[in-house]
């Protein structure tokens, strides 16, 4: 054999031995000087390496990650994020390629620093980030224009906020096995669709023009007006598609318009009752024509948006609110309460008391329903027989159409009180009026203050009214649940009244009455046993003694 070949074979043999010997020695072990996240697993068997990693990485793998988004701190647990260390895959990665020539050389002369293989439950991660986003996200608040009286009032728009969910998921994945944070998450600002500048412009122009005059609603040859005040009470401007658009809630005005736009004989008539020989008897219902308040609201809003002052009333066939069959199942069978209040004869206010009593007479309040006096009667007007009479406004007596109807509200309040039904809204008069029971009375005006009560029984309630020239009576017919008694405290915190003089053609003298506070308890009983008590506290201001001078 030539000498050159002998030398080449020797060199090759040495190389083979140089590779084979370490390869055999390292077989089945993690290469020396191999670290995973700072944990040395070099020279260990796979089983030993897995055990060491599980032991050493567990504190970091279970450490909560503190994140901050929009200034709010939250601790996120790795288990709920679906993040964990895949120890077996990490050890396999550490041993991968260790028996190759390159791997042997690296094991002899070098070292390796590996990152753990992280297992991610993508669904769990998404769900947790989504839940976090719900605590951070804030929709933009669009500007709204409403009215205080006839004056536009603005609620300015506000920017919204949204968590960048993809970036948040990436950030918490990167923070896993770290020192626990805090990690600042990225949020994005969401602008409102309508900028503040446009809200101000609409408030100073369109919103003022919209209530500058009464609005006319027509049906055939008939027409009726929505007053400026009624229009402003139901009108608002809200963001829609990048612009502010008018919205009108016609629920409050629809009943009054309906009575003026639809002939009396064509209006729907609810089933009601008449009292025959002391027993309620059903009067059948009748379907008719009525106004859809939602469609009316849309029609008025569209007209306002177009700068118009009239709209057609959406009159359509309307079923009775209470059918004959349903009325027969309401349990209206006996008188459960009655109250009568007295007044001097023949003043203009008596006309208003009789008019409102006629409107309410025969109305049926269903189980669970809340009765609103203003909602049923609407704005008091001359067209329906109301006249000008004194009422209290800003601490003085003034004449107004419908003045005096608070006597009816007070009478009904006492029927509610002794019938055991739920008081929802009542407001006592500013001054004590001697013809009313102290602490058991209610004023009313339109649109506020209203008088509202809830039929919190499982039976219907029939309201019957009657009157003489000096009294008004309200009766409730239903199924009796309670015996109700009233108990009053002595008057306390008594305050003397001032003496004043004023002049002017509209001045009306005031007699002067002391102010005081009084407590009234409503006592609920059944079979003579007290069940509970309800306390009403009323504070009356001193009514001035006012002399009108010329």
């Amino acid at each position: 054999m030539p000498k050159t070949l002998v030398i080449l074979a020797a060199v090759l043999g040495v190389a083979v031995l140089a590779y084979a010997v370490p390869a055999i020695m390292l077989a089945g072990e993690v290469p020396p000087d191999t670290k995973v996240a700072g944990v040395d697993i070099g020279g260990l068997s796979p089983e030993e390496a897995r055990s060491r990693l599980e032991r050493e990485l567990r504190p970091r793998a279970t450490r909560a990650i503190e994140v901050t988004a929009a200034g709010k701190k939250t601790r996120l647990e790795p288990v709920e994020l679906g993040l964990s260390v895949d120890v077996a895959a990490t050890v396999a990665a550490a041993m991968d390629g260790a028996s190759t020539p390159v791997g042997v050389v690296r094991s002899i002369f070098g070292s390796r620093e590996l990152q753990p293989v992280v297992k991610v439950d993508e669904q769990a991660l998404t769900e947790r980030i989504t839940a976090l986003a719900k605590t951070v996200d804030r929709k933009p608040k669009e500007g709204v224009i409403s009215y205080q009286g006839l004056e536009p009032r603005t609620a300015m728009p506000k920017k919204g906020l949204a968590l960048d969910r993809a970036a948040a998921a990436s950030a918490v994945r990167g923070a896993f096995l770290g020192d626990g944070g805090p990690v600042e998450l990225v949020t994005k600002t969401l602008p409102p669709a309508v900028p503040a500048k446009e809200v101000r412009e609409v408030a100073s122009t369109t919103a003022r023009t919209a209530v500058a005059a009464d609005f006319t609603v027509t049906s055939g040859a008939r027409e009726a007006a929505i007053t400026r005040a009624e229009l402003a009470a139901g009108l608002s401007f809200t963001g829609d598609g990048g612009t502010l658009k008018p919205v009108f809630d016609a629920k409050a005005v629809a009943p009054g318009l309906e009575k003026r736009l639809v002939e009396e004989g064509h209006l729907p008539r609810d089933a009601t009752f008449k009292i025959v020989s002391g027993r309620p008897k059903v009067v059948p219902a009748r379907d008719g024509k009525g106004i859809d308040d939602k469609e009316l609201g849309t029609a008025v809003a569209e007209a306002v948006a177009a700068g118009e002052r009239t709209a057609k009333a959406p009159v359509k066939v309307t079923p009775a609110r209470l059918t004959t069959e349903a009325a027969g199942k309401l349990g209206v069978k006996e008188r459960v309460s009655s109250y009568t209040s007295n007044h001097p004869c023949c003043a203009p206010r008596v006309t208003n008391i009789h008019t409102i009593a006629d409107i309410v007479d025969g109305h049926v309040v269903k189980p669970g329903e809340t009765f609103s006096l203003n909602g049923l009667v609407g704005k008091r007007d001359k067209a329906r027989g109301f006249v000008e009479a004194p009422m209290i406004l800003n601490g003085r007596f003034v004449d107004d159409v419908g003045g005096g109807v608070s006597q009816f509200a007070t009478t009904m309040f006492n029927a509610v009180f002794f019938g055991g039904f739920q008081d929802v809204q009542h407001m006592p008069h500013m001054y004590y009026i001697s013809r009313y029971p102290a602490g058991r009375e209610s004023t009313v005006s339109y649109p506020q203050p209203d008088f509202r009560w809830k039929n919190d029984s499982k039976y219907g309630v029939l309201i019957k009214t009657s009157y003489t020239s000096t009294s008004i009576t309200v009766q409730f017919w239903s199924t009796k649940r309670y015996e109700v008694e009233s108990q009053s405290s002595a008057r306390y915190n008594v305050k003397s009244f001032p003496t004043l003089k004023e002049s002017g053609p509209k001045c009306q003298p005031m007699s002067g009455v002391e102010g005081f506070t009084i407590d009234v308890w409503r006592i609920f009983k059944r079979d003579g046993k007290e069940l509970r008590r309800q306390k009403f506290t009323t504070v009356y201001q001193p009514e001035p003694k006012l002399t009108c001078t010329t």
Side-chain angles (χ1 to χ4, degrees), residues 92 198 283 394 501 523 534:
E198 184 175 339
V283 177
N394 298 324
K501 290 184 178 181
I523 304 170
Q534 182 182 17

Side-chain angles (χ1 to χ4, degrees), residues 226-356:
I226 300 175
T227 67
R228 298 173 64 198
E230 290 173 327
L231 188 61
L235 186 63
S236 62
F237 290 79
T238 59
D240 182 11
T243 60
L244 282 178
K245 293 184 179 180
V247 176
F248 184 65
D249 184 351
K251 188 176 295 183
V253 300
L257 294 173
E258 191 171 71
K259 291 178 176 64
R260 286 175 279 170
L261 295 175
V262 181
E263 292 182 22
E264 176 68 27
H266 293 165
L267 288 170
R269 184 181 66 197
D270 288 345
T272 185
F273 299 81
K274 63 180 179 181
I275 308 303
V276 180
S277 302
R279 301 283 295 179
K281 182 179 179 180
V282 175
V283 177
R286 180 190 69 201
D287 293 344
K289 293 182 179 179
I291 293 177
D292 186 303
D293 61 272
K294 291 185 179 179
E295 291 185 13
L296 175 63
T298 299
V300 172
E302 289 176 350
V304 169
E308 300 171 355
R309 306 304 304 172
T310 62
K312 290 184 178 180
V315 176
K316 62 181 184 180
V317 175
T318 304
R321 185 184 65 102
L322 179 61
T323 66
T324 305
E325 182 182 5
K329 298 178 180 179
L330 286 177
V332 176
K333 64 180 185 180
E334 60 189 327
R335 188 174 62 190
V336 297
S337 64
S338 178
Y339 193 80
T340 299
S341 66
N342 299 302
H343 55 72
C345 172
C346 311
R349 66 188 302 273
V350 177
T351 298
N352 294 330
I353 294 169
H354 293 179
T355 300
I356 197 169

Side-chain angles (χ1 to χ4, degrees), residues 29-91:
E29 295 180 356
V30 177
D33 209 7
T34 298
K35 294 180 180 179
V36 175
V39 179
D40 189 354
I41 58 172
L44 299 180
S45 68
E47 293 78 11
E48 292 171 332
R50 286 194 292 269
S51 296
R52 179 172 293 183
L53 287 177
E54 287 173 354
R55 183 175 61 255
E56 297 293 333
L57 295 181
R58 183 180 296 112
R60 282 183 274 175
T62 57
R63 180 185 295 143
I65 303 169
E66 185 177 283
V67 298
T68 303
K72 182 178 181 180
K73 292 183 178 180
T74 306
R75 291 172 62 85
L76 302 177
E77 300 294 337
V79 65
E80 62 184 3
L81 289 166
L83 300 177
S84 60
V85 176
D86 191 333
V87 174
T90 301
V91 173

Side-chain angles (χ1 to χ4, degrees), residues 407-430:
Q407 174 124 16
F408 181 83
T410 289
T411 309
M412 179 178 277
F413 173 79
N414 279 273
V416 171
F417 186 98
F418 289 105
F421 299 102
Q422 180 181 339
D423 173 47
V424 175
Q425 178 188 2
H426 87 278
M427 178 183 289
H429 286 82
M430 176 182 292

